Amino acid sequence: MLSVIVGLVVGLSAILIKTIIFYIEGYAVYFAPKLLYFLLPLIGFLIVTSLNQSVFRNIAYFSGARNVIEAIEKNASVIRFRLIYSKFITTGLTIGFGGSSGVEAAIITSGAAVGSNVGRFLGLGYRLRTLLVGCGVAAGISAVYNAPMGGFIFALETILPEFTPTLLIPLLVAAAAGKILFEFIMGQHLRFEVPLTDFAYEEIPLVILLGVLGMLMSAYLLRTYSYCAKYFSRIKNPYVRALAGGLALGSIIFLLPPMYGEGYVSIDALLNSEEHSLLVNSPLAALPNTVWFNLLFFFLITMVKPVSTGICVNSGGEGGYFAPSLITGGFLGFLYYKVVILIFPFYELNQATFMFLGMASVFACVMNAPVTAIFLVAEITQSYQLFVPLMLVCAVSYFLKYYIENLRRSVEQPKGQGKAFRVDRILLNQLNISQLIEEEHTPVRENTSFRGVLESFSNSNKDVLQVLDDQNNLLGVITLNDIRGMLGDISNYDTIYGKDLMHPPTTTVDIDESAAEVLDKFDKYKVWSLPVVRKGKFKGFISKSRLLTQYRNELTRVNRFF
């Protein structure tokens, strides 16, 4: 029932953001003279920057799958309520005014926030709260793309730690609920609807080569994003950064109008053999319309799309890289088709097939989600007959990416990267520190004599004692190592006191800290026992051995996550 509720709420969110983009884009284009289109992104960037510097200042940094995963790992799946609607506004303004980004980061953020806050409102624990975050993401992708299986697999492959049988029903139900509500209100629609011919296995070598090109394009795309982020980060004033980015993107749009907005209109035009419409309102339209000019133009828009997205997302606009990877892949597939037909005019190829394969190839590498790429592209294009070539092109591109980034480098993967690290963090987050505390009933006071300290050690099974004041505030600790050298001198037993023997603890554990943070402290300070406090009040000790024992129990439990 909760997954249905989350799915329906996120479906409404998807409707809202699509409506915002539709009306802003419609009115912006209607009221702006054609010669001033290039100024629209600048207006959008300045408005979004103003909102992020004032109304949404504390949550402006949060956007997309990366921050959702971080919230699951480091913040116990707690996502702030305002993120349910804030990204609608900023992303809607960005794309509505021509920003070259994608709406998916906003719907992923919103869906995750809906799931998290439903769980918090009902007082659910970490496990179920994380499950509802996944349900929200699955419903959002399902609604926006009319792709329930794509949303379901994306949540499994990217957001949640691993698949378990108990995940199946809630994720599928949430994805279906989001899609059904979106379709009921907005009507049935396909993102791309074009007839396809049957795939011929003689085309397999072309598919393999396209997979290689898709991997190279994804590497270029990611490096372009990284360069844009680095470049614009040097501009410290956010309004100056928005001004620079808006003018840069506006100039690109003036020269290449297909860079305006998400880019789906351009892909639809290419799928329907209306490629000349991409040159409308461009100064390049005055040049001779030859085969070589067309190839150069499509090469240009393929290479510039990542640049325009990088500028948009890093200079003041909002959005994600989800849709731009599909659009760039579609441009790449169309350019590849044109080149192949030019070299081998006797081939009877379908341009839509290669555009869809290009989308899947680039998306798989950029989002690190090859299985999602296969199902998402198949669903949004209704090209189920392309399952085999989709599998092949994603396998080739993602294998090459994985080989280059991991296998070829004989170095250890940095800590904090990879799904194994995420599984480790999430399992630790399921442990409750308050339940792992070993209560100690033999406190030492400042004025306790050395003899009293020895008696306390004899009544304890630990090699460390806490020194407390009268209000039970932790003052320090005494270990057996601290007193071992003094045991032989009996004359000191009544002249040395606890305050003389104690020393500050290496570090302390707050009772509200996550188990992952506690284990990091054990590893960092190389200790096996740490005192636990709450607002300075001593609560007991936590041992590394007990923490690891409980962690092992979680690791071997059936359905260890959900």
Side-chain angles (χ1 to χ4, degrees):
M1 289 301 298
L2 289 179
S3 62
V4 171
I5 293 170
V6 170
L8 293 176
V9 174
V10 176
L12 287 173
S13 301
I15 294 168
L16 178 60
I17 193 168
K18 283 294 185 182
T19 304
I20 290 173
I21 291 174
F22 175 79
Y23 281 107
I24 291 177
E25 191 171 49
Y27 283 112
V29 172
Y30 179 79
F31 286 106
K34 290 184 179 180
L35 293 177
L36 295 181
Y37 278 0
F38 73 97
L39 291 178
L40 291 179
L42 173 60
I43 297 171
F45 287 6
L46 289 174
I47 296 174
V48 170
T49 299
S50 178
L51 289 173
N52 283 335
Q53 291 298 311
S54 55
V55 182
F56 304 134
R57 185 180 184 87
N58 295 330
I59 54 174
Y61 73 94
F62 198 109
S63 180
R66 178 176 58 85
N67 289 112
V68 171
I69 293 170
E70 188 175 286
I72 292 173
E73 293 177 8
K74 300 180 180 180
N75 201 34
S77 294
V78 174
I79 301 174
R80 297 183 66 170
F81 180 85
R82 296 180 71 191
L83 285 166
I84 293 176
Y85 60 85
S86 64
K87 295 303 172 182
F88 287 169
I89 300 171
T90 54
T91 303
L93 288 167
T94 298
I95 298 176
F97 279 98
S100 186
S101 62
V103 71
E104 298 77 15
I107 198 63
I108 288 171
T109 300
S110 175
V114 168
S116 173
N117 284 278
V118 167
R120 291 172 65 191
F121 178 77
L122 295 175
L124 302 181
Y126 175 71
R127 284 191 180 93
L128 289 179
R129 202 161 54 238
T130 303
L131 173 57
L132 292 182
V133 168
C135 288
V137 172
I141 298 298
S142 170
V144 167
Y145 277 104
N146 189 29
M149 282 302 296
F152 165 73
I153 294 173
F154 180 78
L156 280 179
E157 193 171 27
T158 306
I159 303 298
L160 298 177
E162 65 180 27
F163 172 78
T164 60
T166 47
L167 280 176
L168 194 65
I169 300 303
L171 284 180
L172 285 176
V173 168
K179 175 187 181 296
I180 290 170
L181 183 64
F182 190 91
E183 264 193 7
F184 179 77
I185 296 177
M186 303 294 283
Q188 292 187 355
H189 71 289
L190 285 177
R191 177 67 74 181
F192 306 113
E193 190 169 8
V194 65
L196 290 170
T197 58
D198 291 333
F199 178 77
Y201 289 105
E202 292 80 7
E203 300 172 18
I204 287 179
L206 297 177
V207 174
I208 293 174
L209 180 57
L210 181 57
V212 176
L213 294 176
M215 182 277 296
L216 294 174
M217 177 54 67
S218 69
Y220 164 74
L221 190 145
L222 291 171
R223 289 194 178 188
T224 301
Y225 294 161
S226 177
Y227 175 80
C228 289
K230 182 179 179 180
Y231 177 81
F232 283 104
S233 66
R234 297 173 183 170
I235 305 175
K236 302 305 180 184
N237 188 301
Y239 293 98
V240 174
R241 188 163 57 242
L243 181 65
L247 291 175
L249 181 57
S251 301
I252 291 174
I253 291 173
F254 179 76
L255 185 66
L256 301 171
M259 298 301 104
Y260 188 95
E262 291 179 284
Y264 291 119
V265 173
S266 299
I267 294 295
D268 281 328
L270 295 179
L271 288 172
N272 292 290
S273 301
E274 299 172 358
E275 55 197 74
H276 296 299
S277 66
L278 272 64
L279 278 165
V280 174
N281 296 326
S282 171
L284 299 178
L287 298 176
N289 188 12
T290 64
V291 173
W292 295 107
F293 168 76
N294 284 335
L295 286 178
L296 179 62
F297 175 75
F298 289 116
F299 175 78
L300 195 60
I301 64 173
T302 302
M303 301 303 287
V304 171
K305 179 62 179 178
V307 176
S308 62
T309 301
I311 292 172
C312 175
V313 175
N314 294 291
S315 66
E318 291 274 2
Y321 302 134
F322 195 109
S325 65
L326 291 174
I327 302 303
T328 303
F331 287 154
L332 174 67
F334 183 81
L335 177 63
Y336 179 72
Y337 163 79
K338 285 292 187 181
V339 172
V340 170
I341 289 298
L342 185 64
I343 299 174
F344 305 106
F346 52 86
Y347 266 154
E348 294 183 2
L349 303 176
N350 187 299
Q351 67 184 32
T353 295
F354 288 92
M355 290 179 68
F356 296 156
L357 294 179
M359 289 179 184
S361 176
V362 175
F363 179 91
C365 294
V366 171
M367 302 302 296
N368 285 313
V371 182
T372 299
I374 295 168
F375 281 90
L376 183 70
V377 172
E379 282 190 294
I380 66 177
T381 62
Q382 294 294 293
S383 55
Y384 297 106
Q385 67 267 43
L386 294 182
F387 254 114
V388 172
L390 283 170
M391 293 165 63
L392 183 59
V393 77
C394 288
V396 170
S397 61
Y398 195 72
F399 168 75
L400 290 175
K401 171 185 165 68
Y402 182 81
Y403 174 78
I404 291 172
E405 292 185 354
N406 296 280
L407 298 182
R408 197 180 66 176
R409 301 176 185 175
S410 57
V411 295
E412 184 180 355
Q413 191 177 39
K415 185 178 180 181
Q417 296 183 9
K419 206 155 190 176
F421 180 82
R422 289 183 52 210
V423 169
D424 176 75
R425 298 289 94 175
I426 293 173
L427 277 174
L428 284 168
N429 286 341
Q430 296 183 24
L431 305 182
N432 191 330
I433 292 299
S434 62
Q435 296 177 354
L436 297 175
I437 294 176
E438 300 170 357
E439 294 185 2
E440 181 57 61
H441 299 290
T442 55
V444 173
R445 304 297 178 182
E446 287 183 283
N447 56 356
T448 301
S449 65
F450 188 12
R451 189 181 303 278
V453 171
L454 292 177
E455 290 177 359
S456 296
F457 268 118
S458 66
N459 295 325
S460 173
N461 60 357
K462 299 186 179 302
D463 61 357
V464 59
L465 293 176
Q466 72 277 15
V467 180
L468 308 179
D469 63 13
D470 294 335
Q471 287 76 41
N472 283 334
N473 293 309
L474 181 65
L475 300 176
V477 294
I478 303 172
T479 67
L480 282 176
N481 285 335
D482 295 332
I483 64 173
R484 185 171 282 115
M486 306 168 63
L487 293 176
D489 191 356
I490 301 177
S491 62
N492 291 329
Y493 280 20
D494 296 309
T495 59
I496 296 178
Y497 299 96
K499 61 183 178 182
D500 304 315
L501 300 170
M502 72 178 186
H503 61 82
T506 306
T507 186
T508 60
V509 171
D510 190 277
I511 199 168
D512 295 323
E513 283 188 71
S514 68
E517 293 173 319
V518 175
L519 186 58
D520 286 341
K521 286 185 176 181
F522 279 125
D523 293 338
K524 178 179 179 180
Y525 296 104
K526 295 180 173 55
V527 293
W528 283 89
S529 182
L530 286 173
V532 181
V533 297
R534 171 181 283 165
K535 297 181 180 179
K537 305 291 185 183
F538 179 78
K539 293 298 178 182
F541 284 100
I542 183 170
S543 68
K544 186 176 182 179
S545 58
R546 185 168 184 178
L547 181 90
L548 292 177
T549 298
Q550 191 61 36
Y551 171 78
R552 186 175 181 274
N553 292 337
E554 288 292 324
L555 191 65
T556 55
R557 188 171 60 83
V558 177
N559 288 342
R560 56 188 179 180
F561 290 107
F562 310 106

